[in-house]
Amino acid sequence: MARSARSAKAPKRGEAAKAARASKAVSPAQAAQASKASRAEAPTSGRGGGRRAVAEVGAGVDGGSARLTPDRDRPRSWSLFLDGAPQSHVDLDDPTRLVFDYQRRLGHVIDLAAPPGRPLHVLHLGGGAFTLARYTAATRPRSTQQVVERDGALVRFVRETLPLDPRARIRVRTLDAREGLARTPDDWADVVLADVFDGARTPAHLTSTEFLVDARRVVRPGGLYAANLTDGPPLTHLRGQIVTAAAVFPELALVAEPAVLRGRRFGNAILVASDVPLPVAELTRRAASDPHSARVEHGRALTDFTGGARPVTDADAVASPAPPPTVFD
């Protein structure tokens, strides 16, 4: 049952950066940026040339406490926090501006799914602040999109505070991600994006072979599946997810920062899969040119990276590991 809306406490100095340690493993630079945004109300122009403050807003949601905090320098840019952890960032003036590294890398997948500007059918498993749905609508007008988000109270809070463009063809469904996937017709999506977290962990039932078999059913021939994964040393979860995807899709690539791939720190990795060869060269170029450059592994190197891991099934699936409390120290 959804909790009633309530105001969230104003964050203490540095709270957001500390909370990032329990989030989707955003980078230290992004945690610092979120902290900067949370320390002050953002000024903006009022009537008659005056100044007024854009304050953060909060609400109780099914998953805990949600807070939307405006950026200091861009008052129409907002960071979404869930229980103090940064989850998404949205720039209402420029939806193509992706701040978090993992979102930027998923944006590359959307960009490479078809020639520029061509409308797509996109299924988003996990909604957050609808950052990537807004990005797709801006970069590929007339795209048809479905967003599946379990937290109905969060959906209402985000839609009321940061409304979607009414011209965008975005349908939001309040369902569990796997249930929403099961209800999607065969060969419906050009792209399926999985970015689902319960707190800071991907739920177990979204890590199995059975889940990915259903995802492949929904992806059209030649389409793309991409998932935001998080893990840290010894990378057991990440290796298992690669092998699980390889049991379903013949073509794979993994995008992550070198320190994550070497098992030196906890972080994000984007797994991309398809039934046709992937645009590895262009994906590599884009990932390397990002503000925090990443590496792309594929082919034999990716197979060797898995180190003998076995595919995950519903019977033995577990949630992804939680980030260690010192991940950004």
Side-chain angles (χ1 to χ4, degrees), residues 34 63 65 73 90 177 251:
S65 177
D73 300 322
V90 172
E251 300 290 337

Side-chain angles (χ1 to χ4, degrees), residues 155-288:
V155 168
R156 290 190 294 274
F157 173 58
V158 171
R159 295 191 76 162
E160 289 170 3
T161 312
L162 309 177
L164 291 166
D165 185 339
R167 297 167 298 178
R169 299 175 181 178
I170 301 172
R171 179 187 179 191
V172 183
R173 308 171 75 184
T174 305
L175 294 168
D176 174 80
R178 192 149 166 182
E179 182 181 358
L181 181 66
R183 294 189 184 188
T184 306
D186 294 0
D187 300 334
W188 184 86
D190 297 294
V191 180
V192 172
L193 300 179
D195 183 20
V196 185
F197 286 78
D198 184 359
R201 307 178 71 184
T202 301
H205 69 299
L206 304 180
T207 68
S208 68
T209 303
E210 291 89 341
F211 166 71
L212 285 173
V213 166
D214 209 24
R216 183 167 182 183
R217 175 189 63 80
V218 171
V219 176
R220 291 174 175 171
L224 299 174
Y225 169 82
N228 177 30
L229 308 174
T230 59
D231 200 7
L235 300 178
T236 302
H237 174 72
L238 182 57
R239 298 180 204 277
Q241 288 302 286
I242 295 167
V243 172
T244 302
V248 178
F249 292 94
E251 300 290 337
L252 299 178
L254 187 73
V255 188
E257 293 181 31
V260 174
L261 292 173
R262 293 171 186 150
R264 293 181 178 174
R265 70 170 180 84
F266 195 97
N268 297 78
I270 303 302
L271 181 62
V272 187
S274 183
D275 64 345
V276 298
L278 295 165
V280 172
E282 181 60 19
L283 184 60
T284 300
R285 186 191 69 77
R286 292 178 180 233

